[in-house]
């Protein structure tokens, strides 16, 4: 049975966007692609560069969503809300495309970008629902690593297979990341297996040259030879393991403690690799580092389901240390290699927020030092808010927490 082609009528301004397709693509590949490289440059430019082949609506829709995810709050003085006409049009077009039976990787990419936009600008519960929809669409499309018929179609090239693989990992990253807001929820994407292939090197991917023999698996030791997305995928796998650990209290206490220490060591090893990469490539702090620190703070959260005095005392010491590392990392963020706010990942905000909450809790115990570190993290969130409005929401929540005095550690 032939799957129907997407031929839905698009809004006039969406058609206008296609006329400037190259400008939209160049802006997207400059601002968003570096921190989540899922769309193949070579395959995408092939779609929009053939004047003899009219574009399908899913390609035009993808362009619209690429334009949407690069929107900046300062772009238009008259449209400062992320719940804009362009956002509404993208959501409506996604729905219409699905109604007529669109079933393509371009449509899935568009869904992922809209979910990213909602996540980055604090549009809830839409972000949570959109991520779940991405997972179900990806499963239906057959790109789950365990579905060889979908990920490795005989007619597909290695580059097309890699693009599908990256889409799957992107969905898993978003699925695990969104649970930071409520770690007790169950993930929507199935847990990956240790022998699942990770994304290839990002530079090779952008060049369109994939060497299958050099691909790493999830169980491979993290190294600088891996691409950024591969290590980000490993970080999110560890975040998922952390959620499972903190939610599982019906296990032997000794085993539970040993597992926590093993997770701590593994996560810290990945953080150290991130710093090594930063020193070699003069990179700014990346989302992988933020997710690793979020995992550590979740792992040692004294407000978890355990309330025994020993756990609370240990958590107090661990949380203080991790939060201090995070605030020290903020100095790297401000003093490191120059980076435009426009290029920042939306996955950085929650990390700063988590650490700020810990310093509010610590304020009674450490006084002025905690206040100084809290102020530094608030400044970081204000910087991030120039790109992603979620940071603004976090600042408002922090202010409410301080006013209400709702957070305090008990260290003895």
């Amino acid at each position: 049975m032939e799957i129907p082609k997407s031929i839905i009528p698009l809004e006039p301004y969406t058609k206008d966007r296609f006329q400037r397709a190259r400008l939209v693509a160049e802006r997207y590949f400059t601002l968003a692609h570096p921190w989540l490289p899922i769309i193949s440059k070579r395959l995408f430019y092939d779609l929009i560069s053939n004047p003899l082949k009219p574009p399908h609506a899913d390609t035009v829709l993808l362009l619209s969503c690429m334009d949407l995810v690069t929107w900046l709050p300062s772009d238009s003085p008259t449209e400062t809300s992320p719940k804009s006409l362009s956002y509404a049009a993208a959501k409506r077009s996604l729905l219409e495309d699905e109604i007529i039976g669109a079933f393509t990787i371009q449509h899935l990419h568009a869904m992922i970008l809209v979910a990213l936009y909602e996540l980055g600008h604090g549009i809830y519960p839409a972000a949570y629902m959109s991520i779940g929809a991405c997972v179900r669409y990806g499963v239906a499309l057959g790109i789950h690593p365990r579905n060889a018929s979908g990920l490795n179609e005989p007619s597909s090239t290695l580059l097309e297979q890699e693009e599908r693989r990256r889409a799957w990992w992107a969905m898993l990253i978003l699925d695990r990341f969104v649970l930071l807001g409520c770690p007790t929820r169950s993930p929507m994407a199935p847990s990956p297996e240790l022998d699942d292939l990770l994304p290839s090197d990002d530079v090779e991917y952008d060049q369109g040259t994939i060497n299958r023999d050099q691909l790493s698996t999830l169980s491979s030791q993290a190294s600088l030879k891996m691409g950024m997305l591969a290590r980000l995928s490993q970080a999110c796998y560890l975040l998922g393991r952390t959620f499972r650990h903190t939610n599982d209290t019906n296990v032997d206490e000794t085993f539970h403690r040993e597992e926590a220490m093993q997770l701590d060591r593994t996560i810290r090893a990945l953080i150290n690799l991130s710093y090594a990469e930063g020193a070699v490539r003069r990179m700014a702090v990346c989302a992988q580092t933020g997710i690793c620190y979020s995992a550590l703070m979740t792992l040692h959260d004294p407000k978890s389901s355990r309330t025994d005095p020993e756990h609370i005392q240990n958590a107090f010491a661990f949380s203080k240390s991790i939060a201090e590392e995070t605030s020290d990392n903020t100095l790297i963020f401000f003093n490191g290699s120059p980076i435009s706010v426009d290029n920042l990942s939306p996955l950085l905000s929650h990390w700063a927020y988590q650490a700020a909450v810990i310093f509010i809790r610590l304020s009674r115990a450490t006084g002025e030092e905690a206040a100084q570190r809290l102020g530094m993290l608030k400044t970081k969130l204000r910087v991030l808010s120039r790109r992603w409005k979620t940071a603004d929401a976090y600042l408002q929540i922090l202010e409410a927490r301080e006013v209400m005095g709702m957070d305090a550690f008990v260290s003895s």
Side-chain angles (χ1 to χ4, degrees):
M1 182 179 71
E2 183 180 358
I3 297 174
K5 299 293 184 182
S6 179
I7 53 172
I8 59 170
L10 297 175
E11 302 293 337
Y13 47 80
T14 305
K15 292 180 180 177
D16 291 342
R17 281 188 182 140
F18 185 77
Q19 299 303 319
R20 55 188 182 93
R22 281 199 166 271
L23 291 177
V24 171
E26 288 171 7
R27 178 176 168 86
Y28 170 82
F29 285 118
T30 299
L31 299 184
H33 185 76
W35 44 261
L36 197 69
I38 58 173
I39 300 174
S40 165
K41 289 184 178 181
R42 174 177 288 187
L43 295 177
F44 183 77
Y45 279 118
D46 285 347
L47 286 174
I48 66 172
S49 299
N50 187 350
L52 301 178
K53 184 178 180 181
H56 289 150
D58 54 4
T59 302
V60 183
L61 174 59
L62 176 55
L63 272 164
S64 176
C65 295
M66 291 166 72
D67 194 19
L68 180 70
V69 82
T70 58
W71 173 81
L72 304 175
S74 58
D75 269 354
S76 172
T78 59
E79 191 173 64
T80 57
S81 171
K83 296 178 183 179
S84 60
L85 291 175
S86 299
Y87 165 66
K91 293 282 284 188
R92 183 170 61 252
S93 295
L94 281 171
L95 177 60
E96 292 172 347
D97 217 19
E98 290 171 13
I99 289 173
I100 60 92
F103 211 52
T104 65
I105 189 66
Q106 289 77 31
H107 182 91
L108 178 58
H109 281 151
M111 293 176 69
I112 293 172
L113 294 185
V114 168
L116 261 174
Y117 179 85
E118 292 168 339
L119 190 73
H121 292 298
I123 305 175
Y124 287 96
Y128 182 76
M129 303 301 290
S130 293
I131 292 169
C134 287
V135 173
R136 295 186 70 85
Y137 192 93
V139 170
L141 199 59
I143 65 168
H144 186 279
R146 297 289 141 182
N147 188 340
S149 63
L151 193 59
N152 304 310
E153 294 176 355
S155 60
S156 64
T157 65
L158 284 176
L159 184 57
E160 289 170 336
Q161 292 172 18
E162 175 66 18
E163 188 175 49
R164 294 188 182 99
R165 183 179 301 110
R166 285 172 174 258
W168 178 258
W169 279 109
M171 291 186 297
L172 192 141
I173 289 167
L174 296 182
D175 182 47
R176 298 306 187 262
F177 181 83
V178 78
L179 292 181
L180 281 167
C182 187
T184 57
R185 284 182 182 151
S186 299
M188 289 169 279
S191 297
E193 302 289 341
L194 290 177
D195 60 346
D196 284 349
L197 291 175
L198 290 170
S200 66
D201 178 73
D202 303 314
V203 175
E204 293 180 357
Y205 180 58
D206 285 342
Q207 294 172 345
T209 56
I210 306 298
N211 187 339
R212 186 176 178 84
D213 294 334
Q214 294 182 358
L215 293 176
S216 302
T217 63
L218 183 59
S219 61
S220 301
Q221 183 175 359
S223 69
L224 292 178
K225 294 181 180 180
M226 289 182 179
M228 181 278 297
L229 187 59
R231 292 193 303 279
L232 180 58
S233 300
Q234 286 186 320
C236 279
Y237 168 73
L238 291 173
L239 179 61
R241 287 278 309 278
T242 300
F243 290 144
R244 188 170 63 188
H245 169 85
T246 56
N247 290 330
D248 187 6
T249 56
N250 297 320
V251 295
D252 178 73
E253 184 176 341
T254 301
F255 173 80
H256 201 258
R257 182 166 54 250
E258 290 176 352
E259 183 182 49
M261 293 301 100
Q262 179 60 50
L263 279 171
D264 183 281
R265 289 191 294 269
T266 306
I267 294 168
R268 288 182 184 276
L270 199 51
I271 290 174
N272 291 335
L273 182 65
S274 298
Y275 288 140
E277 181 180 36
V280 170
R281 303 184 185 180
R282 299 185 61 81
M283 292 174 58
V285 175
C286 61
Q288 164 197 328
T289 309
I291 288 175
C292 284
Y293 273 111
S294 287
L296 284 178
M297 285 183 272
T298 301
L299 182 64
H300 300 296
D301 183 7
K303 288 202 169 183
S304 66
S305 55
R306 287 188 60 184
T307 58
D308 53 283
E310 180 184 359
H311 171 73
I312 292 177
Q313 186 173 2
N314 290 336
F316 176 84
F318 273 109
S319 297
K320 183 175 183 295
S321 172
I322 295 166
E324 287 173 349
E325 288 179 40
T326 297
S327 65
D328 291 340
N329 196 288
T330 300
L331 292 176
I332 300 175
F333 176 83
F334 287 127
N335 301 329
S337 56
I339 182 172
S340 169
V341 173
D342 302 353
N343 296 89
L344 295 176
S345 165
L347 305 184
L348 290 172
S349 298
H350 193 84
W351 169 30
Y353 167 74
Q354 274 182 290
V357 169
I358 289 175
F359 280 120
I360 291 176
R361 296 177 183 175
L362 289 169
S363 59
R364 295 183 183 179
T366 58
E368 185 177 344
E369 180 188 358
Q372 290 176 348
R373 291 183 181 273
L374 175 59
M376 190 185 306
L377 290 166
K378 285 182 177 180
T379 300
K380 181 177 183 177
L381 286 170
R382 291 188 189 98
V383 172
L384 290 168
S385 71
R386 287 152 48 189
R387 177 65 177 92
W388 301 104
K389 300 299 285 184
T390 296
D392 264 339
Y394 285 144
L395 284 167
Q396 294 173 21
I397 295 172
L398 289 173
E399 181 180 353
R401 284 180 177 272
E402 289 181 283
V403 170
M404 297 174 65
M406 58 190 298
D407 294 297
F409 273 136
V410 178
S411 59
S412 60

